[in-house]
Amino acid sequence: MLKRISALFLAGAVAMTMAGCGSGGPGGSAPGDGKITMGFSQVGAESGWRTANTKSVQEAAENAGVTLKFSDAQQKQENQIKAIRSYIQQKVDVIAFSPVVESGWDTVLKEAGTAGIPVILTDRAVDSADTTLYRTFLGSDFIEEGRKAGKWLVEEFKDSKDSVNIVELQGTTGSAPANDRKAGFAEVIGADPRFKVIASQTGDFTRAKGKEVMEAFLKSNPDIDVLYAHNDDMGLGAIEAIEGAGKVPGKDIKIITIDAVKDGMQALADGKINYIVECSPLLGPQLMDLAAKVVKGESVPARVVTEETTFTQEQAKEALPSRQY
Ligand code: GYE
């Protein structure tokens, strides 16, 4: 029933030409050993999604025989820039990274280009106007995820005459998923004046921050109907705050989140969350395939979108036993 990740090669995707960097070129492997060395700069360990994504990348590297140099940036762009520069110095064959925020990457990406090392964006995008700074971007369509969340809400309240007070827990400020999930949701609910976002703040994609910000929302807004959290972890933190305030999550306050990690799916099955939009972290195998092609100088699509679904409470009960993450 669940469709697992599959690549959707977007029509019109630009086939890029090689930047010349196979093993034996400036790459980190000994000439002719055929093994790829990848430098991977991860965002951090902020959420269940991220933990599953790290595991997927590490396992896929091992299965593909790729030597992985892995670093965790603890949600700091400066750490990612340092890691990328060190991968350039180490002459890896390919650099992959999940940019914590969208802007500010051009200089370091140009440095990788000058060194002849191809770059793959994974999970999150950059806003660079120059798309030749990277070879491909593998990840979800975050605007569409926001739209799916909005559509469920519109349907859920279709018979209500009253206004619907929404609070929003945004992801990390300046990150692609925070920007796009906000925009996609706003686009759908914006068509109906009953829907009002009465408070919107970042919870940095973490459980602790989600709880803290929700506590503040509850103090200043007595009449919250809906919480839209940009990921499960912030939603789970907010549930603690809602229960702490003597309200019933899923009933007094309807909750929509994004990701569909196990803890989120459990809360959905338990009736504490009302709807989850899936965002798959299992990007590792596709990343290794793309890396092998890029290193060989083969063309790859400019954009690879992961395919994802949505879950209601009933669907969560069915899916939980076989959930991988
Ligand atoms: O939704 C969130 C994580 O970039 C898609 O980052 C990812 C997001 C994910 O911290 O849980």
Side-chain angles (χ1 to χ4, degrees):
M1 170 201 138
L2 288 182
K3 287 186 199 150
R4 291 286 18 115
I5 301 179
S6 72
L8 269 185
F9 292 159
L10 292 190
V14 187
M16 316 286 281
T17 49
M18 66 176 288
C21 181
S23 2
S29 318
D33 75 351
K35 232 183 151 187
I36 294 172
T37 298
M38 173 188 283
F40 185 88
S41 169
Q42 180 59 290
V43 168
E46 73 283 2
S47 64
W49 190 99
R50 189 64 52 196
T51 309
N53 179 248
T54 293
K55 190 165 170 255
S56 171
V57 170
Q58 289 172 335
E59 282 176 4
E62 206 175 319
N63 292 340
V66 168
T67 305
L68 189 69
K69 293 178 184 285
F70 181 91
S71 61
D72 172 337
Q74 299 182 321
Q75 297 236 67
K76 291 202 177 74
Q77 181 172 35
E78 66 202 75
N79 291 345
Q80 289 200 296
I81 292 175
K82 268 189 216 147
I84 293 170
R85 290 207 166 116
S86 115
Y87 296 145
I88 295 172
Q89 261 178 0
Q90 294 172 59
K91 299 186 172 24
V92 298
D93 297 305
V94 56
I95 292 171
F97 81 115
S98 175
V100 58
V101 291
E102 283 188 288
S103 53
W105 298 102
D106 288 29
T107 306
V108 74
L109 293 183
K110 274 182 197 142
E111 288 167 22
T114 306
I117 302 177
V119 172
I120 298 177
L121 301 181
T122 149
D123 161 34
R124 297 186 184 177
V126 299
D127 64 5
S128 304
D130 181 0
T131 55
T132 65
L133 292 175
Y134 53 92
R135 301 291 296 277
T136 180
F137 165 38
L138 163 68
S140 307
D141 181 340
F142 299 134
I143 297 191
E144 194 49 37
E145 289 173 352
R147 288 191 190 119
K148 287 178 186 167
K151 282 179 191 156
W152 179 83
L153 193 60
V154 169
E155 181 59 26
E156 179 71 8
F157 284 89
K158 67 172 188 295
D159 298 326
S160 154
K161 299 260 172 302
D162 304 330
S163 63
V164 180
N165 289 338
I166 304 162
V167 295
E168 179 178 30
L169 281 170
Q170 297 177 35
T172 301
T173 304
S175 70
N179 293 343
D180 293 354
R181 287 170 182 172
K182 187 176 200 310
F185 182 75
E187 177 196 304
V188 172
I189 61 159
D192 185 332
R194 285 175 310 146
F195 294 106
K196 295 190 170 64
V197 178
I198 57 169
S200 179
Q201 258 184 51
T202 181
D204 218 8
F205 280 131
T206 69
R207 223 176 264 216
K209 260 304 198 71
K211 182 176 179 199
E212 190 187 307
V213 177
M214 190 68 198
E215 279 168 352
F217 283 168
L218 286 159
K219 274 191 195 129
S220 41
N221 306 282
D223 193 16
I224 299 170
D225 300 308
V226 172
L227 162 67
Y228 168 44
H230 290 186
N231 79 344
D232 291 346
D233 278 84
M234 292 190 294
L236 291 163
I239 286 173
E240 290 175 33
I242 293 168
E243 287 173 337
K247 298 197 175 198
V248 183
K251 297 219 161 55
D252 295 337
I253 298 179
K254 299 261 165 84
I255 303 178
I256 314 165
T257 64
I258 298 181
D259 275 356
V261 294
K262 259 201 184 128
D263 289 355
M265 292 287 274
Q266 188 60 57
L268 180 62
D270 294 344
K272 294 185 178 192
I273 293 179
N274 302 78
Y275 193 64
I276 300 186
V277 177
E278 185 185 42
C279 177
S280 176
L282 306 179
L283 304 178
Q286 279 174 295
L287 174 60
M288 297 310 147
D289 287 351
L290 288 166
K293 288 194 175 130
V294 157
V295 170
K296 274 191 230 146
E298 290 173 16
S299 66
V300 291
R303 175 78 170 103
V304 182
V305 184
T306 46
E307 195 176 304
E308 288 147 353
T309 185
T310 56
F311 295 97
T312 60
Q313 293 175 338
E314 285 314 308
Q315 289 165 333
K317 283 180 203 158
E318 271 175 50
L320 254 174
S322 58
R323 202 75 187 147
Q324 283 185 58
Y325 55 91

